């Protein structure tokens, strides 16, 4: 059983009058422990696909199974719980809370978890250490560089040891040096056993993965093993 | 998400916008301050008035002419009524009619001032047996004597004056035996009351007492009394005595229907209840006017919460993406609103208490009355609770808006 199973998935935005189809019948599967890039130009539907996979959005038609269970069968609370426990998100724009320390930012997912509070500090510190920012844990986001901010976001995504990490254009707002540093960390996460799904339009970033799904106009154009 | 963290998260969010948070709760602060002030001053006024009524003594019964006033402004019926006359007093004095009356004393209120040589003073002038006053209120002369029944029968022109009246008119001169002028007639001063300040509804130091018969005949030319005071033998006999008085006066006035009474009887207990009701209604009325300001304050809170929800759209999206449920988000914003207004209420209670303390000091100094500061515990607790409730009511809409945000759109929001 694949971790993610997608069959004939379609998504149409808009109400009755103006309808914008974004995904047209996409099918693929992703196994536990894979490192996959979803690549495509802007407007190809790759972000929408990631949102559906991450329970942030719902497909219009088709089947999506996570851990063998259909997405529709997850209720609102349960979906939130899945996002908290099994999934970690890294966004292009970091989305850190301003005027809140690195440590507190990384702890944020634990607030919504069942993890006992006495473990929060050590878990957050461990995650910050994993991204090499221990010396910055009391800093606020505004005092950090872009690359450092994205590493904080990665620490936040992995603090609850999720099985999957979603990264939506993680290097999009970074210079190439910080970008490759961030991707280095993302690749390490995969070697530690996390399933990693990265969305990008940059070939260089995509090629760090084991497998690349090429998306164009809402369809999978090519599903290839990356040449590492 | 644990309640403690909800509180902390809310506190941090509010702390990030201190000036705005402070301005938002200003309406609530002012509203609660005003309510506390009104309730506290209302209680103080009530204590003061009730204290004075209690000074009347629980055995004292006051009979007034005319119809019982239906409200605090309806005094016309008593002011010009002339239904209580000498024969009523005589009837009340008969043991067969009112067996448990220890004493009966009519009272005349004499408008006007008192003068001695060049000095003039405006005290309260009563046509009232000075001996009765000694018996009921334990007021005795510092110098000289009180006058009583015989002076009243003879319509003597004698007067007993309060200590302040003496100071104003005579200075260091000995007043005894001197003649003072009231409404053009000379009265010989026979006694000076010891200084006691406020007793019941008058200030002992600022009164002049003359025989009621003299006041009727020579000063005012009337044959009725403004009030008749009856002293019951004991507090337990007050109720019985009131009944006896009513029966006696109805017989004397040939009244069969109690609704047509041309007099009414007031006891300490009755007055206490009446004044308590009037002040209670007044306080409730003022408080409800002020409560409108709480609604206005609540709308202000709702407005700012809506702005805050919009501003923090990305934050809401992020929180949802990392596992916050709609309930978590709802709780966070709701607690923020309740915390905001609750804090406003607490600050309002603090200011209200400080202000009412200052006001009670100013009143007792400025007016020279024993105005005691009373801490309105119930109003303080209700004030904080109500302001919290305002937060809950006016916070629920913005909080729902927040919790219903679609996480993706929230994350994309610029």
């Amino acid at each position: 059983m694949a971790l993610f199973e997608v069959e004939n998935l379609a998504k149409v935005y808009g109400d009755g009058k103006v309808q914008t189809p974004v995904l047209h019948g996409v099918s693929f599967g992703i196994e536990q422990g894979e490192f996959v890039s979803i690549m495509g130009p802007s407007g190809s539907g790759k972000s929408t696909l990631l949102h559906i996979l991450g329970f942030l959005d719902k497909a219009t038609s088709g089947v999506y199974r996570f851990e063998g269970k259909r997405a529709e069968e997850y209720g609102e609370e349960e979906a939130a719980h899945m996002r908290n426990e099994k999934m970690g998100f890294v966004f292009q724009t970091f989305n850190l809370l301003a005027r809140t320390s690195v440590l507190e930012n990384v702890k944020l997912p634990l607030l919504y978890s069942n993890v006992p509070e006495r473990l929060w500090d050590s878990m957050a510190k461990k995650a910050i250490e994993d991204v090499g920012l221990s010396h910055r844990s009391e800093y606020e986001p505004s005092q950090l560089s872009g690359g450092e901010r994205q590493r904080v976001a990665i620490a936040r995504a992995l603090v609850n040891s999720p099985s999957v990490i979603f990264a939506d254009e993680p290097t999009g707002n970074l210079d190439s040096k910080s970008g490759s540093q961030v991707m280095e960390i993302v690749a390490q996460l995969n070697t530690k056993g996390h399933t990693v799904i990265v969305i990008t339009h940059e070939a260089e970033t995509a090629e760090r993965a084991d497998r690349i799904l090429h998306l164009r106009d809402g369809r999978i154009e090519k599903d290839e093993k990356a040449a590492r | 998400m644990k309640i403690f963290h909800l509180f902390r998260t809310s506190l941090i969010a509010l702390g990030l916008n201190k000036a705005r948070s402070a301005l938002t709760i200003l309406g609530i602060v002012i509203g609660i301050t005003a309510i506390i002030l009104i309730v506290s001053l209302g209680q103080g006024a009530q204590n003061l008035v009730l204290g004075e009524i209690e000074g009347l003594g629980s055995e004292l019964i006051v009979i007034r002419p005319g119809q019982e006033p239906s409200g605090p402004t309806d005094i016309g019926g008593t002011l010009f009524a002339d239904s209580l006359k000498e024969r009523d007093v005589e009837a009340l004095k008969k043991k067969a009619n009112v067996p448990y009356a220890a004493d009966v004393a009519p009272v005349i209120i004499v408008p006007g001032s008192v003068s001695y040589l060049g000095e003039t003073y405006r005290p309260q002038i009563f046509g009232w047996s000075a001996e009765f006053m000694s018996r009921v209120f334990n007021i005795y002369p510092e110098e000289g004597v009180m006058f009583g029944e015989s002076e009243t029968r003879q319509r003597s022109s004698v007067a007993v004056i309060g200590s302040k009246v003496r100071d104003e008119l005579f200075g260091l001169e000995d007043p005894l035996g001197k003649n003072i002028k009231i409404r053009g007639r000379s009265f010989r001063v026979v006694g000076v009351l010891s200084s006691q300040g406020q007793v019941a509804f008058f200030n002992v130091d600022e009164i002049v007492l003359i025989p009621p018969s003299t006041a009727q005949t020579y000063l005012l030319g009337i044959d009725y009394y403004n009030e008749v005071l009856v002293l019951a033998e004991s507090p337990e006999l007050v109720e019985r005595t009131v009944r006896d008085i009513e029966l006696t006066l109805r017989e004397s006035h040939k009244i069969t229907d109690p609704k047509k009474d041309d007099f009414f009887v007031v006891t300490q207990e009755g007055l206490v209840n009446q004044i308590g009701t009037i002040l209670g209604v007044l306080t409730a009325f003022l408080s409800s006017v002020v409560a409108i300001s709480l609604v206005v304050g609540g709308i202000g809170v709702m407005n700012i919460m809506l702005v805050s929800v919009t501003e923090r759209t990305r934050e809401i999206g992020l929180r949802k993406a990392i596992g916050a449920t709609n309930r978590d988000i709802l709780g966070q914003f709701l607690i923020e609103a309740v915390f905001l207004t609750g804090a406003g209420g607490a600050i309002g209670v603090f200011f209200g208490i400080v202000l009412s303390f200052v006001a009670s000091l100013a009143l007792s100094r400025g007016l020279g009355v024993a105005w005691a500061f009373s801490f309105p515990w119930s109003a303080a607790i209700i004030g904080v609770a109500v302001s919290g409730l305002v937060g809950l009511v006016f916070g629920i809409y913005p909080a729902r808006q927040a919790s219903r945000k679609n996480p993706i759109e929230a994350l994309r929001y610029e």
Side-chain angles (χ1 to χ4, degrees):
Chain A
M1 183 188 74
L3 186 61
F4 294 96
E5 290 171 272
V6 175
E7 288 165 29
N8 215 13
L9 202 71
K11 176 72 183 177
V12 180
Y13 278 119
D15 45 26
K17 278 182 193 162
V18 189
Q19 296 203 327
T20 318
V22 182
L23 291 174
H24 307 271
V26 175
S27 304
F28 62 91
I30 295 174
E31 301 292 329
Q32 173 78 47
E34 269 195 281
F35 184 176
V36 182
S37 289
I38 300 175
M39 201 186 160
S42 68
S44 57
K46 55 191 192 303
S47 285
T48 302
L49 182 58
L50 180 119
H51 291 149
I52 292 171
L53 295 181
F55 288 132
L56 291 171
D57 203 352
K58 288 190 172 69
T60 312
S61 66
V63 177
Y64 162 42
R65 286 195 198 87
F66 177 70
E67 292 186 328
K69 185 171 162 185
R70 285 175 68 125
E72 308 88 86
E73 290 166 24
Y74 291 92
E76 195 267 325
E77 298 254 330
E78 203 183 349
H81 192 62
M82 285 294 132
R83 287 198 295 268
N84 180 256
E85 202 170 68
K86 305 226 161 145
M87 301 168 177
F89 292 88
V90 177
F91 303 96
Q92 179 176 2
T93 50
F94 323 135
N95 286 315
L96 301 176
L97 294 188
R99 288 182 272 185
T100 305
S101 73
V102 166
L103 187 66
E104 292 299 318
N105 262 296
V106 172
K107 269 191 207 170
L108 208 57
L110 300 174
L111 242 69
Y112 302 104
S113 73
N114 297 323
V115 176
E117 201 186 330
R118 64 193 149 80
L119 302 177
W120 291 5
D121 252 4
S122 57
M123 286 169 81
K125 280 179 179 155
K126 171 78 170 51
I128 293 168
E129 197 187 315
D130 286 351
V131 297
L133 283 178
S134 294
H135 59 298
R136 295 272 192 265
S137 56
E138 291 310 320
Y139 282 48
E140 288 182 5
S142 60
Q143 297 168 299
L144 302 177
S145 71
E148 286 173 325
R149 285 183 212 186
Q150 194 59 299
R151 279 147 70 191
V152 174
I154 294 171
R156 181 180 63 197
L158 64 89
V159 67
N160 211 4
S161 315
S163 47
V164 190
I165 289 183
F166 294 106
D168 188 353
E169 301 274 13
T171 59
N173 278 14
L174 301 178
D175 61 80
S176 61
K177 186 161 166 272
S178 331
S180 65
Q181 260 180 356
V182 161
M183 284 314 293
E184 192 59 47
I185 292 168
V186 170
Q188 271 172 24
L189 292 179
N190 177 241
T191 60
K192 285 177 191 165
H194 298 276
T195 307
V196 174
I197 300 177
V198 176
I199 284 195
T200 184
H201 63 276
E202 295 163 19
E204 197 187 336
T205 303
E207 277 156 14
R208 311 255 347 191
D210 304 324
R211 177 181 165 197
I212 302 174
L213 287 174
H214 291 270
L215 214 61
R216 182 176 289 276
D217 297 332
R219 290 188 175 81
I220 291 183
E221 200 178 44
K222 201 160 58 169
D223 183 350
E224 61 170 2
K225 286 264 180 253
R228 267 223 251 189
Chain B
M1 188 153 146
K2 285 131 196 133
I3 215 88
F4 165 75
H5 292 286
L6 274 176
F7 266 107
R8 226 176 60 126
T9 308
S10 305
L11 204 61
I12 290 168
L14 295 173
L16 292 181
N17 258 316
K18 286 189 193 71
R20 184 203 277 179
S21 302
L23 285 173
T24 305
I25 60 174
L26 200 58
I28 305 282
V29 171
I30 292 170
I32 295 291
T33 302
I35 286 181
I36 297 288
L37 193 60
I38 287 168
V39 172
S40 173
L41 292 185
Q43 266 178 22
Q46 192 156 347
N47 291 345
L48 181 73
V49 174
L50 294 187
E52 289 192 358
I53 292 168
E54 267 149 26
L56 287 173
S58 50
E59 296 99 343
L60 194 69
I61 300 163
V62 181
I63 310 166
R64 298 214 168 112
Q67 297 261 307
E68 183 159 15
S70 56
T73 54
D74 183 19
I75 51 168
T78 33
L79 218 53
F80 306 107
D82 57 355
S83 55
L84 290 176
K85 306 214 168 150
E86 184 56 28
R87 68 189 150 85
D88 298 319
V89 175
E90 293 307 321
L92 292 171
K93 276 181 178 166
K94 285 201 181 95
K95 278 287 167 196
N97 290 332
V98 190
Y100 301 111
D103 216 331
V104 178
V107 178
I108 299 281
I109 296 160
V110 182
S113 54
V114 181
S115 58
Y116 172 70
L117 301 179
E119 302 291 335
T120 302
Y121 187 63
R122 197 170 254 283
Q124 270 187 297
I125 308 167
F126 291 115
W128 190 353
S129 160
E131 282 172 1
F132 180 86
M133 182 163 272
S134 293
R135 285 195 294 275
V136 177
F137 299 112
N138 290 319
I139 297 165
Y140 293 95
E142 190 179 272
E143 315 167 51
V145 294
M146 300 299 248
F147 58 82
E149 293 292 316
S150 62
E151 286 83 356
T152 301
R153 266 196 307 279
Q154 294 159 15
R155 304 193 203 286
S156 305
S157 294
V158 289
V160 171
I161 62 177
S163 58
K164 179 137 190 241
V165 181
R166 175 197 57 195
D167 295 345
E168 294 288 336
L169 294 182
F170 295 97
L172 295 172
E173 207 179 322
D174 180 13
L176 290 182
K178 304 272 166 36
N179 284 325
I180 54 174
K181 271 205 154 64
I182 303 171
R183 294 175 81 97
R185 190 176 175 87
S186 282
F187 286 80
R188 185 165 49 85
V189 177
V190 295
V192 178
L193 298 170
S194 57
S195 175
Q196 293 201 6
Q198 192 79 16
V199 170
F201 48 86
F202 53 86
N203 186 332
V204 177
D205 305 347
E206 296 175 22
I207 59 173
V208 170
L209 300 176
I210 56 175
S213 55
T214 317
Q216 277 185 319
T217 314
Y218 298 121
L219 295 187
L220 302 171
I222 54 175
D223 64 346
Y224 58 86
Y225 294 110
N226 296 107
E227 263 178 9
V228 177
L229 304 180
V230 177
L231 194 65
E233 280 176 2
S234 73
E236 294 77 39
L237 291 167
V238 165
E239 218 182 305
R240 163 81 201 270
T241 306
V242 167
R243 228 170 27 241
D244 291 337
I245 290 169
E246 285 172 346
L247 292 175
T248 306
L249 291 181
R250 270 176 213 143
E251 198 187 304
S252 158
H253 293 177
K254 301 192 169 51
I255 294 167
T256 47
D257 181 2
K259 281 188 190 127
K260 291 187 177 155
D261 278 356
D262 55 1
F263 64 91
F264 63 97
V265 179
V266 182
T267 59
Q268 185 198 31
E269 201 192 340
L271 268 184
V272 165
N273 291 342
Q274 210 178 340
I275 303 243
T277 310
I278 292 169
L279 282 173
V281 167
L282 208 61
T283 303
F285 168 72
L286 286 174
S287 300
S288 59
V289 170
V290 174
I292 293 170
S293 78
L294 284 184
V295 173
V296 176
I299 293 168
V301 169
M302 176 151 78
N303 187 16
I304 290 300
M305 289 301 295
L306 283 172
V307 171
S308 167
V309 166
T310 306
E311 276 182 357
R312 287 154 67 192
T313 296
R314 283 178 74 90
E315 180 196 324
I316 294 163
L318 170 78
R319 285 180 185 276
K320 285 194 159 187
I322 62 171
T325 60
N326 290 356
R327 255 208 341 244
D328 289 328
I329 301 293
L330 185 82
Q332 183 188 336
F333 280 88
L334 212 49
I335 281 189
E336 219 172 284
V338 172
F339 197 83
L340 205 56
T341 55
I347 296 169
V349 166
F350 173 76
F351 280 128
I353 285 167
V354 169
L355 281 181
S356 45
F357 182 71
V358 171
S360 64
L361 275 186
L363 282 168
S364 47
R365 295 257 168 88
L367 298 178
V369 293
W371 187 291
F373 166 70
S374 70
F375 184 88
W377 274 107
S378 55
I381 293 166
I382 292 170
V384 174
V386 164
S387 48
L389 195 70
V390 166
L392 200 63
V393 168
F394 289 96
I396 197 121
Y397 175 67
R400 281 181 76 94
Q401 296 287 95
S403 73
R404 285 175 173 177
K405 278 196 188 295
N406 180 335
I408 308 165
E409 277 163 33
L411 279 169
R412 278 200 197 121
Y413 184 86
E414 294 297 332

